[in-house]
């Protein structure tokens, strides 16, 4: 290893910058993979009812829920699904169109968010649906995927930015300080007049 110029940092700091970059890349990949696995587990945990069926679903906690359509036509902008949900505190106007566009293709499932519903009182509800396009699809009910998706993407981007910034900062600062130390060491001594 080349010794550091007089007063400058050692080249070992380049290795530190590389190590910070490597750790950051590993952390970013683990964050994103963990987020995708969490989304996959969440999708697997949805309660499902076949299109054309009417079956009970149990809600254990109050709050907002999303109704997803899963099937071959899930990539259609409007899969033409008619969903009904009946139970305590659920009226005809309780189901609202999903505001935005959220689709997924994960774990062998392809789905699209179609409706939202607010459940104020947990219990058992009847979930039913019809579609003129695909009788083999399913209606899935669960919490929104959007928050977990946003956490995964934003967290991955932030980790990536910090990794690039930290690595670049360490390497650049080391290079500049070594250059300045070489210049100071190579400068001729000041001329002293008697």
């Amino acid at each position: 290893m080349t010794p550091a110029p007089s007063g400058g940092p050692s080249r070992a700091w380049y290795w530190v910058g590389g190590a910070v970059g490597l750790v950051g890349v590993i952390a970013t990949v683990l964050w994103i993979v963990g987020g995708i696995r969490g989304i996959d587990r969440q999708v697997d945990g949805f309660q499902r009812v076949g299109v054309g069926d009417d079956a009970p679903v149990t809600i254990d906690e109050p709050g907002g829920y999303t109704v997803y359509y899963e099937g071959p036509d899930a990539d259609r902008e409007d899969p033409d699904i008619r969903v009904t949900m009946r139970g305590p505190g659920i009226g005809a106007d309780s189901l609202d169109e999903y505001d935005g566009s959220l689709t997924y293709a994960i774990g062998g499932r392809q789905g699209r968010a179609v409706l939202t519903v607010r459940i104020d009182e947990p219990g058992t509800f009847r979930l039913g649906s019809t579609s003129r396009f695909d009788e083999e699809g399913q209606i899935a009910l669960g919490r929104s995927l959007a928050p977990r998706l946003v956490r995964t993407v934003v967290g991955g981007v932030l980790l990536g930015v910090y990794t690039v910034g930290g690595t670049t900062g360490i390497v650049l600062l080391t290079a500049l300080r070594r250059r300045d130390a070489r210049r100071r060491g190579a400068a001729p001594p000041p001329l002293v007049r008697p």
Side-chain angles (χ1 to χ4, degrees):
M1 182 179 274
T2 306
S6 177
S10 165
R11 282 192 179 186
W13 282 100
Y14 291 127
W15 288 100
V16 170
V20 167
L22 180 61
V23 168
V25 166
I26 291 170
T28 302
V29 168
L30 289 175
W31 178 271
I32 292 171
V33 167
I36 291 170
R37 292 178 106 176
I39 291 169
D40 187 37
R41 282 191 303 273
Q42 186 175 347
V43 168
D44 281 346
F46 289 163
Q47 297 181 69
R48 292 179 169 79
V49 175
V51 171
D53 293 340
D54 186 275
V57 292
T58 302
I59 304 293
D60 295 329
E61 296 178 16
Y65 288 82
T66 302
V67 177
Y68 301 89
Y69 168 69
E70 293 181 340
D73 293 324
D75 58 348
R76 293 174 58 95
E77 190 63 36
D78 177 15
D80 193 32
I81 299 295
R82 288 177 195 79
V83 176
T84 59
M85 190 168 181
R86 299 177 311 282
I90 299 289
D93 59 347
S94 296
L95 293 169
D96 295 317
E97 281 193 42
Y98 188 83
D99 188 24
S101 176
L102 189 147
T103 60
Y104 57 88
I106 191 165
R109 300 182 194 279
Q110 183 178 353
R112 169 181 293 281
V114 290
L115 300 167
T116 60
V117 62
R118 176 102 189 137
I119 304 294
D120 294 323
E121 191 175 320
T124 300
F125 302 86
R126 299 292 299 185
L127 183 63
S129 64
T130 58
S131 170
R132 66 185 176 101
F133 289 120
D134 176 27
E135 294 299 324
E136 295 180 19
Q138 302 180 94
I139 297 301
L141 176 69
R143 296 286 189 175
S144 177
L145 294 172
R148 189 179 297 254
L149 183 61
V150 168
R151 278 194 308 269
T152 300
V153 171
V154 171
V157 168
L158 288 177
L159 279 170
V161 167
Y162 287 140
T163 297
V164 169
T167 302
T168 303
I170 291 170
V171 169
L172 190 58
L173 189 59
T174 300
L176 292 174
R177 291 181 130 188
R178 287 179 60 84
R179 184 195 68 190
D180 290 347
R182 277 194 301 276
R183 284 183 178 169
R184 281 193 309 271
L191 184 61
V192 179
R193 294 184 183 221

Coordinates of all heavy atoms in Angstrom, one line a residue, residues 68-127:
Y68 N -60.0 -6.4 -4.7 CA -59.2 -6.6 -5.9 C -59.9 -7.6 -6.8 O -60.5 -8.6 -6.4 CB -57.8 -7.2 -5.6 CG -57.0 -6.3 -4.7 CD1 -57.1 -6.4 -3.3 CD2 -56.2 -5.3 -5.2 CE1 -56.4 -5.6 -2.4 CE2 -55.4 -4.5 -4.3 CZ -55.6 -4.7 -3.0 OH -54.8 -3.8 -2.1
Y69 N -59.7 -7.5 -8.1 CA -60.2 -8.5 -9.1 C -58.9 -9.2 -9.5 O -57.9 -8.6 -9.9 CB -60.9 -7.8 -10.3 CG -61.1 -8.8 -11.4 CD1 -62.0 -9.9 -11.3 CD2 -60.4 -8.7 -12.6 CE1 -62.2 -10.8 -12.3 CE2 -60.5 -9.7 -13.6 CZ -61.4 -10.7 -13.4 OH -61.6 -11.6 -14.4
E70 N -58.9 -10.5 -9.5 CA -57.8 -11.4 -9.9 C -58.3 -12.3 -11.0 O -59.3 -12.9 -10.9 CB -57.3 -12.2 -8.8 CG -56.6 -11.4 -7.7 CD -56.1 -12.3 -6.6 OE1 -56.5 -13.5 -6.4 OE2 -55.2 -11.8 -5.8
G71 N -57.5 -12.3 -12.1 CA -57.9 -13.2 -13.2 C -57.2 -12.7 -14.5 O -56.4 -11.8 -14.5
P72 N -57.4 -13.5 -15.5 CA -56.8 -13.2 -16.8 C -57.1 -11.8 -17.3 O -56.3 -11.2 -18.1 CB -57.3 -14.2 -17.8 CG -57.9 -15.3 -16.9 CD -58.3 -14.6 -15.6
D73 N -58.3 -11.2 -17.0 CA -58.6 -9.9 -17.5 C -58.2 -8.8 -16.5 O -58.7 -7.6 -16.6 CB -60.1 -9.8 -17.7 CG -60.6 -10.7 -18.8 OD1 -59.8 -10.8 -19.8 OD2 -61.7 -11.3 -18.8
A74 N -57.4 -9.1 -15.5 CA -57.0 -8.1 -14.5 C -56.3 -6.9 -15.1 O -56.2 -5.8 -14.5 CB -56.2 -8.7 -13.4
D75 N -55.6 -7.1 -16.2 CA -54.9 -6.0 -16.8 C -55.8 -5.1 -17.6 O -55.3 -4.0 -18.1 CB -53.7 -6.5 -17.7 CG -54.2 -7.4 -18.8 OD1 -55.4 -7.9 -18.8 OD2 -53.4 -7.7 -19.7
R76 N -57.0 -5.4 -17.8 CA -58.0 -4.5 -18.5 C -58.2 -3.3 -17.6 O -58.3 -3.4 -16.4 CB -59.3 -5.2 -18.7 CG -59.3 -6.4 -19.7 CD -60.6 -7.1 -19.7 NE -61.7 -6.2 -20.1 CZ -62.2 -6.0 -21.3 NH1 -61.6 -6.7 -22.3 NH2 -63.1 -5.2 -21.6
E77 N -58.3 -2.2 -18.2 CA -58.6 -0.9 -17.5 C -59.9 -1.0 -16.8 O -60.1 -0.6 -15.6 CB -58.6 0.3 -18.5 CG -58.6 1.6 -17.8 CD -57.4 1.9 -17.0 OE1 -56.3 1.5 -17.3 OE2 -57.6 2.5 -15.9
D78 N -60.9 -1.6 -17.4 CA -62.2 -1.8 -16.7 C -62.6 -3.3 -16.9 O -63.2 -3.7 -17.9 CB -63.2 -0.9 -17.3 CG -64.6 -1.1 -16.7 OD1 -64.7 -1.7 -15.7 OD2 -65.6 -0.6 -17.3
P79 N -62.3 -4.1 -15.9 CA -62.7 -5.5 -16.1 C -64.2 -5.8 -15.9 O -64.6 -7.0 -16.0 CB -61.9 -6.2 -14.9 CG -61.6 -5.2 -13.9 CD -61.6 -3.9 -14.7
D80 N -65.0 -4.8 -15.8 CA -66.5 -4.9 -15.8 C -66.9 -5.9 -14.7 O -67.6 -6.8 -14.9 CB -67.0 -5.3 -17.1 CG -68.5 -5.1 -17.2 OD1 -69.0 -4.2 -16.5 OD2 -69.2 -5.9 -17.8
I81 N -66.5 -5.6 -13.4 CA -66.8 -6.4 -12.3 C -67.9 -5.7 -11.5 O -67.9 -4.5 -11.3 CB -65.6 -6.6 -11.4 CG1 -64.5 -7.3 -12.1 CG2 -66.0 -7.3 -10.1 CD1 -64.8 -8.7 -12.5
R82 N -68.9 -6.4 -11.1 CA -69.9 -5.9 -10.2 C -69.8 -6.7 -8.9 O -69.9 -7.9 -8.8 CB -71.3 -6.1 -10.8 CG -71.6 -5.2 -12.0 CD -73.0 -5.5 -12.6 NE -73.0 -4.9 -13.9 CZ -72.5 -5.3 -15.0 NH1 -71.8 -6.5 -15.0 NH2 -72.6 -4.7 -16.2
V83 N -69.5 -5.9 -7.8 CA -69.2 -6.5 -6.5 C -70.3 -6.1 -5.5 O -70.7 -4.9 -5.5 CB -67.9 -6.1 -6.0 CG1 -67.6 -6.6 -4.6 CG2 -66.8 -6.5 -6.9
T84 N -70.8 -7.0 -4.7 CA -71.7 -6.7 -3.6 C -71.1 -7.2 -2.3 O -70.3 -8.2 -2.3 CB -73.0 -7.4 -3.8 OG1 -72.8 -8.8 -3.9 CG2 -73.7 -7.0 -5.1
M85 N -71.3 -6.4 -1.3 CA -70.9 -6.8 0.0 C -72.0 -6.4 1.0 O -72.4 -5.3 1.0 CB -69.6 -6.0 0.4 CG -68.9 -6.5 1.6 SD -67.2 -5.9 1.7 CE -66.7 -6.6 3.2
R86 N -72.4 -7.4 1.8 CA -73.5 -7.2 2.7 C -73.0 -7.6 4.1 O -72.2 -8.5 4.3 CB -74.7 -8.0 2.3 CG -75.2 -7.6 1.0 CD -76.4 -8.5 0.5 NE -76.3 -9.9 0.6 CZ -75.6 -10.7 -0.2 NH1 -75.0 -10.2 -1.2 NH2 -75.5 -12.0 0.0
G87 N -73.5 -6.9 5.1 CA -73.2 -7.2 6.5 C -73.5 -6.1 7.4 O -74.0 -5.0 7.0
P88 N -73.1 -6.2 8.7 CA -73.4 -5.1 9.6 C -72.7 -3.8 9.2 O -71.5 -3.8 9.0 CB -72.9 -5.6 11.0 CG -72.2 -6.9 10.7 CD -72.4 -7.3 9.3
G89 N -73.5 -2.7 9.1 CA -72.9 -1.4 8.8 C -72.5 -1.2 7.4 O -71.9 -0.2 7.0
I90 N -72.8 -2.2 6.5 CA -72.4 -2.0 5.1 C -73.7 -1.8 4.3 O -74.6 -2.6 4.3 CB -71.8 -3.3 4.5 CG1 -70.5 -3.6 5.3 CG2 -71.5 -3.2 3.1 CD1 -69.4 -2.7 5.0
G91 N -73.8 -0.6 3.6 CA -74.9 -0.3 2.8 C -74.5 -0.4 1.3 O -73.4 -0.7 1.0
A92 N -75.5 -0.1 0.5 CA -75.3 -0.2 -1.0 C -74.2 0.9 -1.4 O -73.5 0.7 -2.4 CB -76.6 0.1 -1.7
D93 N -74.1 2.0 -0.6 CA -73.1 3.0 -1.0 C -71.8 2.9 -0.3 O -71.0 3.8 -0.3 CB -73.8 4.4 -0.8 CG -74.1 4.6 0.7 OD1 -74.2 3.6 1.4 OD2 -74.4 5.8 1.0
S94 N -71.6 1.8 0.4 CA -70.3 1.6 1.2 C -69.1 1.3 0.3 O -68.0 1.5 0.7 CB -70.5 0.5 2.2 OG -71.5 0.9 3.1
L95 N -69.3 0.7 -0.9 CA -68.2 0.4 -1.8 C -68.0 1.6 -2.7 O -68.9 2.1 -3.4 CB -68.6 -0.8 -2.6 CG -68.7 -2.2 -1.8 CD1 -69.3 -3.2 -2.7 CD2 -67.4 -2.6 -1.3
D96 N -66.7 2.0 -2.7 CA -66.3 3.2 -3.6 C -65.3 2.7 -4.6 O -64.5 1.8 -4.3 CB -65.7 4.3 -2.7 CG -66.6 4.9 -1.8 OD1 -67.8 5.2 -2.2 OD2 -66.3 5.1 -0.6
E97 N -65.4 3.3 -5.8 CA -64.4 3.0 -6.8 C -63.0 3.3 -6.3 O -62.8 4.3 -5.6 CB -64.6 3.8 -8.1 CG -65.7 3.2 -8.9 CD -65.8 3.8 -10.3 OE1 -64.7 4.0 -10.9 OE2 -66.9 4.1 -10.8
Y98 N -62.0 2.4 -6.6 CA -60.6 2.6 -6.2 C -60.1 3.9 -6.9 O -60.2 4.0 -8.1 CB -59.8 1.4 -6.6 CG -58.4 1.5 -6.0 CD1 -58.2 1.1 -4.7 CD2 -57.3 2.0 -6.8 CE1 -56.9 1.2 -4.1 CE2 -56.1 2.0 -6.2 CZ -55.9 1.6 -4.9 OH -54.6 1.7 -4.4
D99 N -59.6 4.8 -6.1 CA -59.1 6.1 -6.7 C -57.6 5.9 -7.1 O -56.7 5.8 -6.3 CB -59.1 7.2 -5.6 CG -58.8 8.5 -6.1 OD1 -58.9 8.7 -7.4 OD2 -58.4 9.4 -5.3
G100 N -57.4 5.8 -8.4 CA -56.1 5.5 -8.9 C -56.0 4.2 -9.7 O -57.0 3.6 -10.0
S101 N -54.8 3.7 -9.8 CA -54.6 2.5 -10.6 C -53.5 1.7 -9.8 O -52.4 2.1 -9.7 CB -54.1 2.8 -12.0 OG -53.9 1.5 -12.7
L102 N -53.9 0.5 -9.4 CA -52.9 -0.4 -8.7 C -53.2 -1.8 -9.3 O -54.3 -2.4 -9.1 CB -53.1 -0.4 -7.2 CG -52.0 -1.1 -6.4 CD1 -51.8 -0.4 -5.1 CD2 -52.3 -2.5 -6.2
T103 N -52.1 -2.3 -9.9 CA -52.2 -3.7 -10.4 C -51.0 -4.5 -9.8 O -50.0 -3.9 -9.4 CB -52.1 -3.8 -11.9 OG1 -50.9 -3.2 -12.4 CG2 -53.3 -3.0 -12.6
Y104 N -51.1 -5.8 -9.8 CA -50.0 -6.6 -9.4 C -50.0 -7.9 -10.1 O -51.0 -8.4 -10.6 CB -50.1 -6.9 -7.8 CG -51.3 -7.5 -7.4 CD1 -51.4 -8.9 -7.4 CD2 -52.4 -6.8 -6.9 CE1 -52.6 -9.5 -6.9 CE2 -53.6 -7.4 -6.4 CZ -53.7 -8.8 -6.5 OH -54.8 -9.4 -6.0
A105 N -48.8 -8.4 -10.3 CA -48.6 -9.8 -10.8 C -47.5 -10.4 -10.0 O -46.3 -10.1 -10.1 CB -48.1 -9.7 -12.3
I106 N -47.9 -11.2 -9.0 CA -46.9 -11.7 -8.0 C -47.4 -13.0 -7.5 O -48.6 -13.2 -7.3 CB -46.7 -10.7 -6.9 CG1 -45.5 -11.0 -6.0 CG2 -48.0 -10.5 -6.0 CD1 -45.1 -9.9 -5.1
G107 N -46.5 -13.9 -7.3 CA -46.9 -15.2 -6.7 C -47.9 -16.0 -7.6 O -48.7 -16.7 -7.1
G108 N -47.8 -15.8 -8.9 CA -48.7 -16.5 -9.8 C -50.1 -15.9 -9.9 O -51.0 -16.4 -10.5
R109 N -50.2 -14.7 -9.3 CA -51.5 -14.1 -9.3 C -51.4 -12.7 -10.0 O -50.4 -12.0 -9.9 CB -52.0 -13.8 -7.9 CG -52.2 -15.0 -7.1 CD -52.8 -14.6 -5.7 NE -52.7 -15.7 -4.7 CZ -53.5 -16.7 -4.6 NH1 -54.5 -16.8 -5.4 NH2 -53.4 -17.6 -3.6
Q110 N -52.5 -12.4 -10.7 CA -52.5 -11.1 -11.4 C -53.8 -10.4 -11.0 O -54.9 -11.0 -11.0 CB -52.6 -11.3 -12.9 CG -52.6 -10.1 -13.7 CD -52.5 -10.4 -15.2 OE1 -52.4 -11.5 -15.7 NE2 -52.7 -9.4 -16.0
G111 N -53.7 -9.2 -10.4 CA -54.8 -8.5 -9.9 C -54.9 -7.0 -10.1 O -53.8 -6.4 -10.5
R112 N -56.0 -6.5 -9.9 CA -56.2 -5.0 -10.0 C -57.2 -4.6 -8.9 O -58.2 -5.2 -8.6 CB -56.9 -4.7 -11.4 CG -57.4 -3.3 -11.5 CD -58.0 -3.0 -12.9 NE -57.1 -3.1 -13.9 CZ -56.3 -2.1 -14.3 NH1 -56.3 -1.0 -13.6 NH2 -55.4 -2.2 -15.3
A113 N -56.8 -3.4 -8.3 CA -57.7 -2.8 -7.2 C -58.9 -2.2 -8.0 O -58.7 -1.5 -8.9 CB -56.9 -1.8 -6.5
V114 N -60.1 -2.6 -7.5 CA -61.3 -2.1 -8.2 C -62.2 -1.2 -7.2 O -62.8 -0.3 -7.7 CB -62.1 -3.2 -8.8 CG1 -61.4 -3.8 -10.0 CG2 -62.5 -4.3 -7.8
L115 N -62.2 -1.6 -5.9 CA -63.1 -0.9 -5.0 C -62.4 -0.7 -3.6 O -61.5 -1.4 -3.3 CB -64.4 -1.6 -4.8 CG -65.3 -1.9 -6.1 CD1 -66.3 -2.9 -5.8 CD2 -65.9 -0.6 -6.5
T116 N -62.9 0.2 -2.8 CA -62.5 0.3 -1.5 C -63.8 0.2 -0.6 O -64.9 0.6 -1.0 CB -61.8 1.6 -1.2 OG1 -62.6 2.7 -1.5 CG2 -60.5 1.7 -2.0
V117 N -63.6 -0.2 0.6 CA -64.7 -0.2 1.6 C -64.1 0.1 3.0 O -63.0 -0.3 3.3 CB -65.4 -1.6 1.6 CG1 -64.5 -2.7 1.9 CG2 -66.6 -1.6 2.4
R118 N -64.9 0.8 3.7 CA -64.6 1.1 5.1 C -65.4 0.2 6.0 O -66.6 0.2 6.0 CB -64.9 2.6 5.4 CG -64.6 3.0 6.8 CD -63.3 3.7 7.0 NE -63.0 3.9 8.4 CZ -61.8 3.7 8.9 NH1 -60.8 3.3 8.1 NH2 -61.6 3.9 10.2
I119 N -64.7 -0.5 6.9 CA -65.4 -1.4 7.9 C -65.2 -0.8 9.2 O -64.1 -0.6 9.8 CB -64.8 -2.8 7.9 CG1 -64.8 -3.4 6.5 CG2 -65.4 -3.7 8.9 CD1 -66.1 -3.7 5.9
D120 N -66.4 -0.4 9.8 CA -66.3 0.2 11.2 C -66.5 -0.8 12.3 O -66.0 -0.6 13.4 CB -67.4 1.3 11.3 CG -67.2 2.5 10.3 OD1 -66.0 2.8 10.2 OD2 -68.1 3.0 9.8
E121 N -67.2 -1.9 12.0 CA -67.4 -2.9 13.0 C -67.1 -4.3 12.4 O -67.6 -4.7 11.4 CB -68.9 -2.9 13.3 CG -69.3 -3.7 14.5 CD -70.7 -3.5 14.9 OE1 -71.2 -2.4 14.8 OE2 -71.3 -4.5 15.3
P122 N -66.0 -4.9 13.0 CA -65.6 -6.2 12.5 C -66.8 -7.2 12.6 O -67.7 -7.1 13.3 CB -64.5 -6.6 13.5 CG -64.0 -5.4 14.1 CD -65.2 -4.5 14.1
G123 N -66.7 -8.3 11.7 CA -67.7 -9.3 11.7 C -67.6 -10.1 10.4 O -66.6 -10.1 9.7
T124 N -68.7 -10.9 10.1 CA -68.7 -11.7 8.9 C -69.6 -11.0 7.9 O -70.7 -10.5 8.3 CB -69.3 -13.1 9.3 OG1 -68.4 -13.7 10.2 CG2 -69.3 -13.9 8.0
F125 N -69.1 -10.9 6.7 CA -69.9 -10.2 5.6 C -70.0 -11.2 4.5 O -69.3 -12.2 4.3 CB -69.0 -9.0 5.2 CG -68.8 -8.0 6.3 CD1 -67.7 -8.2 7.1 CD2 -69.6 -6.9 6.5 CE1 -67.4 -7.3 8.2 CE2 -69.4 -6.0 7.5 CZ -68.3 -6.2 8.4
R126 N -71.0 -10.9 3.6 CA -71.2 -11.7 2.4 C -70.6 -10.9 1.2 O -70.9 -9.7 1.0 CB -72.7 -11.9 2.1 CG -73.4 -12.6 3.1 CD -73.1 -14.1 3.3 NE -73.3 -14.9 2.0 CZ -73.1 -16.2 2.0 NH1 -72.7 -16.8 3.1 NH2 -73.3 -16.8 0.9
L127 N -69.6 -11.5 0.5 CA -69.0 -10.9 -0.6 C -69.4 -11.6 -1.9 O -69.2 -12.9 -1.9 CB -67.5 -10.9 -0.4 CG -66.6 -10.2 -1.5 CD1 -66.9 -8.7 -1.5 CD2 -65.1 -10.5 -1.2

